[in-house]
Amino acid sequence: MTFSQQTKAEILKSFKINRNCCCDTFVYTVLKATGSLELTIRGIALSVSSENLDFLRVLSDAAYHSAGVRANIQSENTSARGAVIYRAMFDKRLLKKFPLAYRDEEGFVRINNRILLENMSDCCNRAFVQALFVSCGSLVVPDGGELTDDLPAGRYHMEFVLQSQEFAQFALNMLQERGFNFRITTRKNNHVLYIKESEQIADMLVFMNAMSAKLQLENVIIQRNLRNVANRQSNCISANIDKSIAASAKQVESIRLLQNSGKLSQLSKQLQEIASLRLANPDATMAELATMSGVTKSGVAHRLDKLVSLARQLEEGEN
């Protein structure tokens, strides 16, 4: 089970069908987000398809609590991944409670584009977002869920995929009013609301009553931060080692140049001693050379720099 699926399961388990207003909001939001209108021999029907059977069962219970209408849930076919797809079919009585469609003067069925969600209370705002996520939402967490082909690995990403532009804009406004910095884009004729900030996703999980998912997300964030710190320290150490090796190689090269030219024997005793020590210990650090020579670390560095400078002057003079 992916992290997204785990989160949906937790939300569905926590959703309590004991408030009429929240059931109304939940059912209406699901139907508006992913519902389909169908013409049957008995007239107009509403259907919702999903791989998540528990979601459809909760939707059916909420619809019964809200409008006295239960869904007829049946397995329909399988998806491209081989997962079973279920369909919940509601008869036209649900349209009396939720007027998602109507017949015009000529008898044609028309979609009602008006969004009947005004002045929602705090509990209904939560039910609205919960319905969005379990019906058309997904969540990708690095090391905590499967990554889809169109999302870069290692990214945090929560999104809602909606067909209706009007409903997508309504959802975007509602989420932004609650302080969630969702953005909107289009993908394959759908309108996608998304956020990528891990802190915002954590706040969304709290808002949807998915506390276990929020704790898992925090563990992932902490682990990634620790790994990032360790990687930075490792990179810094590696860079320092590389720098030290390069400097040592340059010092040895300079000393050998002075030695071959006969200039080294003309230098002070202190420079000759540190040159001999470096040649004998090409891999030693400045601190180790300081211990061996009894000179301070800065003193060792100064003398080696002097040798490198003299070798450079010698090369320039020869050129």
Side-chain angles (χ1 to χ4, degrees):
M1 184 181 290
T2 67
F3 185 70
S4 185
Q5 291 168 337
Q6 292 175 23
T7 304
K8 291 182 181 182
E10 183 181 3
I11 292 171
L12 291 169
K13 187 176 181 180
S14 69
F15 184 74
K16 301 195 181 296
I17 305 174
N18 56 7
R19 283 178 175 265
N20 290 338
C21 61
C22 292
C23 283
D24 290 351
T25 300
F26 186 90
V27 174
Y28 180 82
T29 301
V30 170
L31 294 175
K32 195 73 176 175
T34 60
S36 298
L37 283 172
E38 299 185 19
L39 288 175
T40 68
I41 57 175
R42 297 183 179 180
I44 302 174
L46 291 165
S47 69
V48 177
S49 296
S50 175
E51 296 178 6
N52 191 335
L53 182 58
D54 290 334
F55 157 56
L56 296 180
R57 286 170 174 166
V58 171
L59 175 63
S60 179
D61 291 342
Y64 181 76
H65 185 84
S66 180
V69 179
R70 284 197 183 279
N72 178 21
I73 302 175
Q74 295 181 342
S75 60
E76 191 173 38
N77 49 38
T78 56
S79 67
R81 300 192 305 271
V84 177
I85 296 177
Y86 300 92
R87 184 171 64 162
M89 183 75 76
F90 297 92
D91 63 42
K92 61 183 179 182
R93 289 177 296 164
L94 201 59
L95 286 171
K96 295 180 181 179
K97 178 75 176 184
F98 305 105
L100 299 171
Y102 64 93
R103 288 188 181 274
D104 62 15
E105 296 177 353
E106 298 178 353
F108 292 103
V109 177
R110 303 292 185 185
I111 302 296
N112 186 356
N113 290 321
R114 182 185 172 191
I115 299 170
L116 305 176
L117 289 171
E118 298 178 354
N119 302 319
M120 287 188 291
S121 62
D122 288 340
C123 65
C124 290
N125 280 326
R126 177 172 287 105
F128 175 81
V129 177
Q130 289 174 325
L132 275 183
F133 186 75
V134 297
S135 62
C136 64
S138 63
L139 172 59
V140 173
V141 173
D143 306 323
E146 72 176 15
L147 301 175
T148 58
D149 293 337
D150 54 350
L151 291 175
R155 300 277 184 91
Y156 299 93
H157 188 94
M158 175 183 281
E159 69 177 28
F160 305 119
V161 181
L162 300 164
Q163 293 182 349
S164 166
Q165 182 177 2
E166 294 81 7
F167 191 60
Q169 190 61 51
F170 173 86
L172 178 66
N173 294 340
M174 180 270 180
L175 289 164
Q176 290 180 342
E177 287 172 2
R178 301 292 304 188
F180 300 111
N181 299 324
F182 275 82
R183 294 179 284 271
I184 188 168
T185 187
T186 55
R187 185 196 305 151
K188 297 178 181 178
N189 298 322
N190 291 317
H191 304 278
V192 182
L193 311 183
Y194 67 94
I195 49 174
K196 294 181 177 293
E197 297 80 11
S198 58
E199 295 81 4
Q200 284 269 301
I201 293 175
D203 291 341
M204 277 288 293
L205 293 174
V206 172
F207 186 66
M208 295 187 297
N209 280 341
M211 297 306 298
S212 294
K214 190 250 187 182
L215 292 175
Q216 291 182 55
L217 173 61
E218 287 182 336
N219 285 335
V220 171
I221 294 172
I222 291 171
Q223 291 170 11
R224 282 174 60 82
N225 287 341
L226 289 175
R227 283 200 297 268
N228 289 338
V229 170
N231 288 337
R232 284 195 295 270
Q233 291 176 342
S234 177
N235 292 336
C236 182
I237 291 172
S238 297
N240 288 337
I241 291 174
D242 292 342
K243 184 178 179 181
S244 176
I245 292 173
S248 175
K250 181 64 177 176
Q251 293 159 6
V252 170
E253 179 185 355
S254 299
I255 293 168
R256 293 197 184 283
L257 178 63
L258 292 170
Q259 192 178 51
N260 295 335
S261 67
K263 297 292 184 181
L264 185 60
S265 59
Q266 301 174 14
L267 301 178
S268 66
K269 180 181 178 182
Q270 292 85 351
L271 290 178
Q272 291 184 48
E273 288 177 349
I274 202 65
S276 177
L277 201 58
R278 171 50 87 194
L279 289 177
N281 303 276
D283 298 328
T285 64
M286 288 292 182
E288 291 170 342
L289 290 177
T291 301
M292 296 176 192
S293 64
V295 181
T296 64
K297 185 178 174 181
S298 61
V300 170
H302 175 72
R303 294 177 186 182
L304 289 171
D305 288 344
K306 181 66 175 178
L307 290 170
V308 171
S309 176
L310 291 171
R312 186 184 304 113
Q313 293 175 15
L314 180 61
E315 283 183 316
E316 293 173 351
E318 292 177 351
N319 294 333

